[in-house]
Amino acid sequence: MATLDLEEELLKDEELVASIQNLDHSIVDIETLLESRMNLDYNSLSVEEKIKHDLLIAFSLNSLYWVYLRLDGVDPTSHNIKRELDRVKSTMDMAKGAMAKKNMLRVDKKAAERFIDHALWTPEDKKRRSHNMEHPNKKIKFDENGDPSK
Protein backbone atom coordinates (compact mmCIF):
# COMPACT_ATOMS: atom_id res chain seq x y z
CA MET A 1 0.00 0.00 0.00
CA ALA A 2 2.90 2.37 0.63
CA THR A 3 4.00 2.20 -3.01
CA LEU A 4 0.44 2.89 -4.17
CA ASP A 5 0.29 6.02 -2.02
CA LEU A 6 3.65 7.14 -3.41
CA GLU A 7 2.46 6.64 -7.00
CA GLU A 8 -0.73 8.60 -6.36
CA GLU A 9 1.26 11.36 -4.72
CA LEU A 10 3.73 11.52 -7.65
CA LEU A 11 0.87 11.59 -10.18
CA LYS A 12 -0.60 14.60 -8.38
CA ASP A 13 2.66 16.53 -8.89
CA GLU A 14 1.81 18.31 -12.16
CA GLU A 15 5.33 19.65 -12.68
CA LEU A 16 6.82 16.15 -12.48
CA VAL A 17 4.19 14.72 -14.83
CA ALA A 18 4.82 17.53 -17.34
CA SER A 19 8.58 16.94 -17.18
CA ILE A 20 8.13 13.20 -17.77
CA GLN A 21 5.80 13.84 -20.71
CA ASN A 22 8.29 16.31 -22.16
CA LEU A 23 11.06 13.72 -21.78
CA ASP A 24 8.90 11.12 -23.51
CA HIS A 25 8.19 13.45 -26.46
CA SER A 26 11.89 14.30 -26.73
CA ILE A 27 12.84 10.62 -26.79
CA VAL A 28 10.33 9.98 -29.58
CA ASP A 29 11.74 12.95 -31.56
CA ILE A 30 15.30 11.68 -31.12
CA GLU A 31 14.31 8.16 -32.18
CA THR A 32 12.59 9.54 -35.30
CA LEU A 33 15.62 11.62 -36.22
CA LEU A 34 18.11 8.80 -35.71
CA GLU A 35 15.95 6.30 -37.61
CA SER A 36 15.63 8.68 -40.56
CA ARG A 37 19.41 9.24 -40.62
CA MET A 38 20.23 5.53 -40.26
CA ASN A 39 17.90 4.55 -43.11
CA LEU A 40 19.75 6.70 -45.64
CA ASP A 41 21.70 5.10 -48.47
CA TYR A 42 25.16 6.06 -47.22
CA ASN A 43 26.95 5.22 -50.48
CA SER A 44 24.78 7.65 -52.47
CA LEU A 45 25.78 10.62 -50.29
CA SER A 46 28.43 13.12 -51.34
CA VAL A 47 31.60 13.43 -49.27
CA GLU A 48 30.30 16.61 -47.60
CA GLU A 49 27.00 14.92 -46.73
CA LYS A 50 28.84 11.85 -45.39
CA ILE A 51 30.89 14.08 -43.09
CA LYS A 52 27.78 15.83 -41.80
CA HIS A 53 26.00 12.49 -41.35
CA ASP A 54 28.89 10.89 -39.44
CA LEU A 55 29.32 13.91 -37.17
CA LEU A 56 25.58 14.06 -36.45
CA ILE A 57 25.45 10.39 -35.49
CA ALA A 58 28.62 10.56 -33.37
CA PHE A 59 27.52 13.69 -31.52
CA SER A 60 23.97 12.41 -31.00
CA LEU A 61 25.03 9.08 -29.57
CA ASN A 62 27.67 10.59 -27.33
CA SER A 63 25.17 13.19 -26.09
CA LEU A 64 22.62 10.48 -25.36
CA TYR A 65 25.25 8.57 -23.39
CA TRP A 66 26.03 11.78 -21.48
CA VAL A 67 22.35 12.08 -20.58
CA TYR A 68 22.26 8.42 -19.55
CA LEU A 69 25.20 8.94 -17.22
CA ARG A 70 23.51 12.01 -15.70
CA LEU A 71 20.29 10.05 -15.14
CA ASP A 72 22.26 7.17 -13.63
CA GLY A 73 23.87 9.52 -11.12
CA VAL A 74 27.40 9.43 -12.58
CA ASP A 75 29.28 12.67 -13.07
CA PRO A 76 29.96 12.75 -16.84
CA THR A 77 32.57 15.51 -16.55
CA SER A 78 34.99 13.04 -14.98
CA HIS A 79 34.07 10.28 -17.45
CA ASN A 80 35.77 9.56 -20.81
CA ILE A 81 32.61 10.69 -22.60
CA LYS A 82 33.59 14.31 -21.92
CA ARG A 83 36.84 13.86 -23.86
CA GLU A 84 34.98 12.10 -26.68
CA LEU A 85 32.40 14.90 -26.95
CA ASP A 86 35.19 17.48 -27.05
CA ARG A 87 36.89 15.49 -29.82
CA VAL A 88 33.67 15.36 -31.86
CA LYS A 89 33.11 19.10 -31.34
CA SER A 90 36.64 19.93 -32.53
CA THR A 91 36.11 17.71 -35.58
CA MET A 92 32.86 19.55 -36.27
CA ASP A 93 34.74 22.86 -36.16
CA MET A 94 37.41 21.54 -38.53
CA ALA A 95 34.75 20.28 -40.95
CA LYS A 96 32.93 23.61 -40.81
CA GLY A 97 36.18 25.44 -41.57
CA ALA A 98 36.97 23.14 -44.49
CA MET A 99 33.49 23.60 -45.95
CA ALA A 100 33.74 27.37 -45.56
CA LYS A 101 37.15 27.33 -47.27
CA LYS A 102 35.67 25.34 -50.14
CA ASN A 103 32.93 27.94 -50.69
CA MET A 104 35.28 30.91 -50.29
CA LEU A 105 35.65 33.34 -53.19
CA ARG A 106 38.81 33.02 -55.24
CA VAL A 107 40.87 35.85 -56.73
CA ASP A 108 41.64 35.74 -60.44
CA LYS A 109 45.34 36.56 -60.22
CA LYS A 110 45.83 37.50 -63.87
CA ALA A 111 42.88 39.89 -63.82
CA ALA A 112 44.16 41.43 -60.58
CA GLU A 113 47.60 41.94 -62.14
CA ARG A 114 46.01 43.68 -65.15
CA PHE A 115 44.03 45.99 -62.86
CA ILE A 116 47.12 46.88 -60.88
CA ASP A 117 49.29 47.38 -63.97
CA HIS A 118 46.78 49.77 -65.52
CA ALA A 119 46.16 51.58 -62.25
CA LEU A 120 49.87 52.21 -61.65
CA TRP A 121 50.58 54.41 -64.66
CA THR A 122 54.03 55.89 -65.14
CA PRO A 123 55.36 58.30 -67.79
CA GLU A 124 57.60 55.55 -69.21
CA ASP A 125 54.46 53.57 -70.03
CA LYS A 126 53.15 56.46 -72.14
CA LYS A 127 56.42 56.69 -74.05
CA ARG A 128 56.50 52.94 -74.65
CA ARG A 129 52.89 52.89 -75.84
CA SER A 130 53.31 55.88 -78.13
CA HIS A 131 56.33 54.30 -79.85
CA ASN A 132 54.36 51.13 -80.50
CA MET A 133 51.50 53.03 -82.16
CA GLU A 134 53.71 54.95 -84.68
CA HIS A 135 51.82 58.22 -84.47
CA PRO A 136 48.26 57.09 -85.21
CA ASN A 137 46.77 60.62 -85.12
CA LYS A 138 48.91 62.12 -87.92
CA LYS A 139 47.41 62.85 -91.28
CA ILE A 140 48.57 60.63 -94.06
CA LYS A 141 49.71 62.40 -97.21
CA PHE A 142 49.56 60.69 -100.56
CA ASP A 143 51.82 61.33 -103.51
CA GLU A 144 50.75 61.69 -107.15
CA ASN A 145 50.50 57.91 -107.63
CA GLY A 146 48.23 57.51 -104.62
CA ASP A 147 50.87 55.91 -102.42
CA PRO A 148 51.26 57.13 -98.84
CA SER A 149 54.32 59.26 -98.46
CA LYS A 150 56.54 59.26 -95.44
Side-chain angles (χ1 to χ4, degrees):
M1 278 269 181
T3 58
L4 183 61
D5 292 337
L6 183 62
E7 286 179 17
E8 288 177 6
E9 189 176 318
L10 289 176
L11 289 175
K12 290 179 184 175
D13 187 5
E14 293 176 11
E15 187 177 319
L16 178 65
V17 171
S19 295
I20 291 173
Q21 287 175 344
N22 187 20
L23 177 65
D24 185 49
H25 291 297
S26 297
I27 289 172
V28 170
D29 291 343
I30 291 170
E31 285 176 347
T32 305
L33 173 73
L34 288 176
E35 284 177 10
S36 69
R37 295 305 292 182
M38 297 303 282
N39 291 334
L40 288 176
D41 183 19
Y42 188 77
N43 293 328
S44 66
L45 298 176
S46 69
V47 174
E48 190 173 313
E49 290 170 338
K50 285 180 182 179
I51 291 171
K52 288 180 181 179
H53 176 268
D54 292 343
L55 288 173
L56 173 73
I57 297 297
F59 189 77
S60 300
L61 294 177
N62 284 315
S63 297
L64 287 174
Y65 191 67
W66 174 282
V67 171
Y68 168 75
L69 289 175
R70 290 287 306 247
L71 290 173
D72 203 31
V74 177
D75 182 22
T77 57
S78 62
H79 196 273
N80 286 339
I81 194 66
K82 170 84 168 116
R83 189 173 56 241
E84 184 66 19
L85 273 171
D86 290 340
R87 188 183 70 82
V88 172
K89 284 181 186 178
S90 69
T91 305
M92 290 171 102
D93 291 339
M94 284 189 335
K96 191 182 295 184
M99 289 177 200
K101 190 180 248 186
K102 175 185 166 194
N103 296 331
M104 214 168 48
L105 296 176
R106 302 276 187 249
V107 174
D108 185 359
K109 290 182 182 178
K110 291 185 179 183
E113 286 175 6
R114 287 193 305 268
F115 275 107
I116 292 170
D117 285 344
H118 290 290
L120 299 175
W121 178 83
T122 60
E124 291 83 29
D125 291 339
K126 183 176 181 181
K127 290 178 187 176
R128 188 173 54 238
R129 287 185 189 147
S130 65
H131 288 299
N132 292 340
M133 294 166 69
E134 295 183 17
H135 309 291
N137 293 331
K138 283 193 167 186
K139 294 181 182 177
I140 299 174
K141 295 183 180 178
F142 293 95
D143 61 8
E144 296 167 1
N145 296 332
D147 294 328
S149 64
K150 293 188 179 182

